[in-house]
Amino acid sequence: MSTSLAPITTGAPARPGLTPAGLATVLLGAALPIIDFFIVNVALPTIDADLHASTATLELVVAAYGIAYAVLLVVGGRLGDSFGRRRLFFAGLWLFTLTSLACGIAPTAGTLVVARAAQGAASALLLPQVLSIIQATTTGEKRSRALGLFGATGGISTVVGQLLGGGLVAADLWGTSWRPIFLVNVPIGLVVLVMARRLPESRAHNPLGVDRLGTALLALTLLSLLVPLMEGRALGWPAWAIVLLVVSPFSAAAFVHVERRLERLGGTPLLPPSVMRLPSVRRGLMVGIPFFAAFGSFMFVFAMTLQEGLHYGPLGAGGALTPLAVAYFTVSMLSSRLVARYGQKVVPVGGAITAVGMVALLCTTLSAWPNVTILDLAPSMVAIGVGNALAMTTLFRIVLSHVPTDLAGVGSGVMTTNQQTSLALGVATLGSLYAALSGSLGAREAFALVIGAVAVLATIVAITGRRLPDPRV
């Protein structure tokens, strides 16, 4: 059975290239949904105080966005291939701006959850187009640099989300409390919409239809897995949560069967198995699961520990991440040259440095608790930022390195679905573990156990990353 796809040739005229201004536009568009996934972490205690939300509802404020995002990402990529990536980028950005406004003016916790789900759906239309536009309008070293900048944007946005969230909540602009963390997207979104008018249009030469049955089964698989993991503990594991968890592996098996059968019959599956068989895609996604799960759970648990365990304010919690952000951004700018010289070896090195940073964070925090200062945290934050920058930017390049241009939307959708699902899984599992342990053992012990688990996941990345294919070949 073949493990690669032959490039698709169509004889079509060359597409216009992506200018530096166009690249800046799509990267800014990519930053908005990623920032919004994390921006609520430092605002949850304030949202709770203002809207009197239950624990389960607060978790849904985070979960609703992530679940809608993960479920629809592949569909968003496919729609861009079919109807035009610039057009879908524009539509997704409009919807994201409007749903951000809805989140910012939400009168109740329930309304905020619904608005967050809609915002996640809008993000799923927007974000896949970024990688697709880069894949379709760049080549060679220019593509390598663009993908490196995209990886840097993804990582730095996760940190900026918490920094920005902490600053806006602490500022309490005009007495609006947490609401500016969403409202700030409105003017930024409008500016990017104006900039996006000059983006080049691209689409697949032979557009593929939407696989409705595959889409439904993928949605069922992700929902039946993520919803009970995120909400089951807070609700006392009701019967419906157990039933959904039992359904999840069966729906996943059905999805795989339907996709294989559809491709065998000459149809257009949502996730073509031939793409998934590419070594760069298959192995990259497998390494991505523990990497993104570790990163998502770390960002969530660290923010909660700083505020609940160490009694930092929202601004202090965000400020503690500044060394990580600076290190991440700096190393990300060098990642393209590092990959050009060392290839896939950059990923295991990044995983190892992250694991060392987590162990250092654990030792520092336990020894100085509860008088842990930002200066105490800085060395381990730098190591974690360096390690994540090396691994994340390189993983994106590896996964997309051999995906044909006409399937750019599929490739980007697969990668971002893997990223968002793994982030959500990390928050659902290790985040829930932290919540349970902090109630029984205390914040210090809960933090120690979870960060230890994150260090193990980083070590797994360091070991399994050695088997990744070389993106330079």
Side-chain angles (χ1 to χ4, degrees):
M1 185 177 292
S2 174
T3 58
S4 63
L5 287 174
I8 298 175
T9 57
T10 63
R15 293 167 175 150
L18 190 63
T19 65
L23 179 60
T25 300
V26 295
L27 291 180
L28 186 54
L32 289 174
I34 300 172
I35 287 172
D36 246 64
F37 185 88
F38 290 94
I39 200 168
V40 298
N41 283 350
V42 294
L44 287 176
T46 310
I47 294 173
D48 183 19
D50 184 34
L51 300 181
H52 309 291
S54 66
T55 302
T57 303
L58 283 177
E59 290 185 3
L60 271 177
V61 170
V62 178
Y65 182 92
I67 291 171
Y69 199 2
V71 165
L72 296 174
L73 270 168
V74 177
V75 178
R78 178 62 56 83
L79 291 174
D81 285 346
S82 298
F83 298 107
R85 291 143 187 164
R86 174 189 171 277
R87 179 180 296 178
L88 264 292
F89 180 90
F90 207 81
L93 189 54
W94 259 117
L95 291 172
F96 181 84
T97 303
L98 292 174
T99 52
S100 295
L101 177 62
C103 289
I105 63 175
T108 65
T111 307
L112 179 58
V113 168
V114 173
R116 283 283 286 171
Q119 192 184 37
S123 298
L125 293 180
L126 169 62
L127 189 60
Q129 315 316 323
V130 176
L131 279 172
S132 299
I133 290 170
I134 290 173
Q135 286 283 95
T137 59
T138 61
T139 57
E141 184 57 29
K142 186 176 180 180
R143 177 183 292 178
S144 175
R145 288 195 299 268
L147 289 175
L149 287 171
F150 177 83
T153 300
I156 202 71
S157 295
T158 61
V159 179
V160 168
Q162 302 203 162
L163 288 170
L164 182 62
L168 289 173
V169 173
D172 191 20
L173 300 172
W174 305 289
T176 53
S177 186
W178 53 271
R179 297 182 185 276
I181 68 173
F182 300 115
L183 295 176
V184 71
N185 293 330
V186 177
I188 297 175
L190 293 175
V191 170
V192 181
L193 282 167
V194 174
M195 297 168 62
R197 296 173 65 183
R198 295 185 177 274
L199 287 175
E201 182 60 283
S202 66
R203 67 186 72 197
H205 297 140
N206 299 299
L208 305 177
V210 174
D211 172 14
R212 293 183 178 85
L213 180 57
T215 301
L217 286 171
L218 177 62
L220 177 60
T221 300
L222 294 177
L223 287 170
S224 60
L225 175 65
L226 295 177
V227 170
L229 284 179
M230 287 187 163
E231 293 301 295
R233 184 201 60 81
L235 299 176
W237 291 107
W240 62 262
I242 304 298
V243 170
L244 283 179
L245 282 176
V246 172
V247 166
S248 180
F250 292 100
S251 60
F255 173 71
V256 171
H257 173 74
V258 165
E259 299 300 276
R260 287 177 175 171
R261 182 175 182 274
L262 187 58
E263 186 172 61
R264 190 167 58 248
L265 295 175
T268 55
L270 183 68
L271 296 182
S274 51
V275 172
M276 302 297 290
R277 285 195 297 269
L278 287 168
S280 58
V281 174
R282 185 180 68 253
R283 296 179 189 174
L285 295 181
M286 291 303 295
V287 174
I289 292 172
F291 174 78
F292 290 117
F295 190 72
S297 58
F298 166 72
M299 296 296 285
F300 179 82
V301 169
F302 189 59
M304 296 296 290
T305 300
L306 287 174
Q307 293 188 78
E308 295 185 348
L310 298 175
H311 306 294
Y312 280 43
L315 186 59
L321 289 163
T322 300
L324 189 156
V326 172
Y328 189 102
F329 184 77
T330 302
V331 174
S332 294
M333 294 300 98
L334 303 173
S335 65
S336 179
R337 275 180 273 178
L338 291 172
V339 174
R341 182 170 182 178
Y342 299 107
Q344 78 281 13
K345 296 177 183 177
V346 175
V347 173
V349 170
I353 293 174
T354 301
V356 170
M358 291 295 172
V359 173
L361 174 64
L362 186 58
C363 294
T364 299
T365 306
L366 292 180
S367 62
W369 192 283
N371 301 311
V372 184
T373 67
I374 292 178
L375 189 61
D376 293 332
L377 298 170
S380 54
M381 289 292 99
V382 170
I384 293 169
V386 170
N388 276 280
L390 292 173
M392 188 181 297
T393 55
T394 310
L395 272 175
F396 273 100
R397 181 173 176 181
I398 288 172
V399 170
L400 298 173
S401 59
H402 297 104
V403 175
T405 298
D406 266 26
L407 293 175
V410 174
S412 63
V414 168
M415 183 61 197
T416 45
T417 296
N418 175 272
Q419 179 189 33
Q420 295 304 317
T421 302
S422 300
L423 287 169
L425 276 173
V427 174
T429 53
L430 295 182
S432 295
L433 177 64
Y434 172 82
L437 293 177
S438 61
S440 57
L441 300 178
R444 179 177 182 271
E445 288 73 15
F447 180 75
L449 289 171
V450 171
I451 295 303
V454 171
V456 170
L457 290 175
T459 303
I460 292 173
V461 172
I463 295 171
T464 58
R466 299 171 62 186
R467 295 177 55 83
L468 289 169
D470 194 330
R472 299 170 298 178
V473 177

